[in-house]
Amino acid sequence: SKGVVRVVVTGAAGQIGYSLVPLIAGGKMLGPGVKVELRLVEIPPAMGALEGVKMELEDCAFPLLDKVVCTSDAAEAFVDVDICILVGAFPRKAGMERKDLLAKNAAIFKAQGEALNSVASPNVKVVVVGNPANTNALILSTFAPNVPKSNITALTRLDHNRLKAMVALKLDKNVTYVDGAVIWGNHSATQFPDVLNCKVDGISDPIREAVGGEAYLRDELIPKIQKRGAAIIAARGLSSAMSAANAICDHMNDWLHGTGDKYVSMAVFADGSYGISEGIVYSMPVRTMKGGSYEIVQGLTVDAFSQEYMKATEAELRAEREDALSIL
Ligand code: NAX
C-alpha cells in the first residue's frame, strides 16, 4: 500500500535476522513514522523457523509494521522491493577451504542477482551482509546489470563501529566525540581500520599519536579490529549478531537520510579513488546525501603505512574475484 517501504531480508530465520527484524519493524532503520512491509526469505528447511519469527513479529504489535511475507522464492520477494538486505549465505563448516565457501556462495549470489535483475526496481538499494560479503556483492552485481552498481553495497559498518568504539574507549571519550574513522578494503581479517583522519573532540594531538603511535596501531588496534569477529565467536560460541543487526540499520539509515558533512565506511564499487582501480567492491569513506545518493570522500590522508595495508586487502579482493570468476 501507499507510503509503505518494502524491505527484503534473506536468511531471516538466522541469528542476525532474529536481531534485525525487530529493529526494522520498530523503526530503527527507516526512521520514525515510516511504515514497512517485511519480506522474509529463507531456504525451504528453515521455513518452519521463519514462521516462528513471523509469529513473534506479530506478537510485538509494532505500530509501523504493515505486513510480513515469508517465502523461499527470492524472485517473489524481490518484486518492486525498495531495500534488500542479503544476510542469508552458506556458512563456513569445519575443514572447508576458503575457495569452497566462495563457490557455495557464488552460486547463491548469482541466482539472487538474476532474480533481482528480472523483477527488481532499478532504484532498489542493496546491502550484502553474508560472507564473503564484498565478493558476494560483486557477483550479485555481475548478474544484475539492470541495477546500477552504485545501488549495490556490502556491509563494513560493523567494523567501522568497532573501530570508533575502540578509539573512544582508549581515549576515555563517548563515541559521539569520535569522527572520521575509516575501514578500507575487505570485510575480512585483511581489512584496514584507519585512524589517520580521525578527530576526537577535546584531543588536539593527532589521534594516531594520542592512541599510542604506529607501534600500537600495528601490534594492537589493527589486529584487534581485524580479529574482533573471531573474539566474539570465542566468547559467545556464536558469531556477532546483535552488533551486526545494529550496523545494518546504521548503514541503511545513513544511506537513506544522509551523513551531512560526516562520512561513514561502506563497501562500494572501486572507481580509482585512492589508487584502487575498478573491478572489486572495496570499503571506502563514503558521504551520503539525503535521498539516497552517495560519493566516495576524496582527499583523505593516506601515507606509506596506510598504503601497505590498503594494498594487502586489495590484493585479497582481487584474488577472491579471480576465484569467483573461475567458478562462475
Ligand atoms: P546463520 O547461519 O545464523 O543464518 C543464516 C541464515 O541464512 C540461515 O537461517 C540459513 O538458512 C539462511 N540461508 C542460507 N542460504 C540462503 C539462501 N540462499 N537464501 C535465503 N536464506 C539462506 O548466520 P548469521 O550469524 O545470521 O550470519 C549470516 C551471515 O552474515 C554469515 O555469512 C556471516 O558470516 C555474515 N556476517 C557478516 C558480517 C558483516 O559485517 N558483513 C558480520 C556478521 C556476520 O558474521
Side-chain angles (χ1 to χ4, degrees):
S1 49
K2 200 163 174 281
V4 177
V5 177
R6 291 170 290 253
V7 178
V8 162
V9 178
T10 68
Q15 269 215 98
I16 294 175
Y18 192 74
S19 290
L20 176 64
V21 292
L23 297 181
I24 299 174
K28 162 122 179 146
M29 188 178 83
L30 301 173
V34 182
K35 290 208 165 147
V36 60
E37 174 181 322
L38 273 175
R39 298 179 178 178
L40 309 180
V41 184
E42 262 295 347
I43 50 176
M47 288 309 285
L50 189 62
E51 277 305 319
V53 173
K54 183 184 179 190
M55 285 157 69
E56 285 205 67
L57 276 169
E58 288 167 3
D59 297 348
C60 291
F62 286 117
L64 296 173
L65 185 57
D66 187 64
K67 192 176 175 187
V68 182
V69 178
C70 296
T71 178
S72 58
D73 180 359
E76 180 193 327
F78 290 162
V79 175
D80 292 334
V81 64
D82 299 302
I83 290 172
C84 205
I85 306 171
L86 303 179
V87 181
F90 195 90
R92 187 190 280 271
K93 301 208 166 125
M96 228 171 130
E97 298 280 336
R98 197 179 64 92
K99 205 165 172 171
D100 301 334
L101 183 75
L102 196 76
K104 290 278 187 196
N105 283 298
I108 292 174
F109 285 86
K110 176 185 178 195
Q112 292 186 352
E114 288 167 345
L116 205 62
N117 200 54
S118 56
V119 300
S121 143
N123 296 322
V124 62
K125 290 186 170 54
V126 181
V127 60
V128 176
V129 180
N131 278 316
N134 300 49
T135 299
N136 288 342
L138 176 71
I139 294 164
L140 186 86
S141 172
T142 306
F143 293 95
N146 295 336
V147 178
K149 281 189 162 60
S150 56
N151 290 15
I152 297 178
T153 65
L155 187 77
T156 51
R157 184 59 176 268
L158 176 54
D159 309 291
H160 178 100
N161 287 349
R162 285 166 171 166
L163 177 59
K164 188 171 162 170
M166 226 169 266
V167 169
L169 204 62
K170 175 81 180 164
L171 299 175
D172 197 21
K173 293 277 183 186
N174 182 279
V175 284
T176 51
Y177 291 107
V178 180
D179 191 23
V182 187
I183 301 297
W184 301 94
N186 202 0
H187 169 70
S188 77
T190 68
Q191 66 176 266
F192 174 43
D194 176 21
V195 297
L196 189 55
N197 296 280
C198 234
K199 290 183 183 60
V200 181
D201 268 9
I203 302 211
S204 53
D205 284 347
I207 295 312
R208 179 146 70 179
E209 306 319 316
V211 295
E214 269 192 27
Y216 173 77
L217 294 182
R218 196 181 283 284
D219 301 335
E220 288 195 48
L221 184 74
I222 293 171
K224 214 165 165 185
I225 303 287
Q226 290 173 330
K227 294 176 194 154
R228 184 68 161 184
I232 306 265
I233 294 175
R236 229 168 65 85
L238 291 166
S239 58
S240 19
M242 179 221 297
S243 53
N246 177 71
I248 292 166
C249 290
D250 284 350
H251 177 105
M252 271 301 166
N253 192 281
D254 278 335
W255 190 355
L256 294 168
H257 300 115
T259 51
D261 56 1
K262 307 249 194 276
Y263 58 82
V264 292
S265 305
M266 284 169 54
V268 298
F269 276 85
D271 67 352
S273 300
Y274 299 100
I276 310 299
S277 52
E278 292 179 8
I280 53 175
V281 173
Y282 189 101
S283 182
M284 289 276 175
V286 166
R287 184 179 297 117
T288 62
M289 274 70 83
K290 210 172 162 56
S293 59
Y294 63 81
E295 62 189 20
I296 295 173
V297 175
Q298 302 297 322
L300 296 188
T301 305
V302 167
D303 66 3
F305 179 90
S306 304
Q307 279 289 342
E308 177 194 329
Y309 283 97
M310 287 166 68
K311 288 290 167 203
T313 192
E314 179 187 6
E316 183 183 54
L317 281 167
R318 299 227 182 264
E320 284 186 15
R321 177 178 196 265
E322 286 312 306
D323 285 350
L325 291 178
S326 72
I327 292 157
L328 291 165

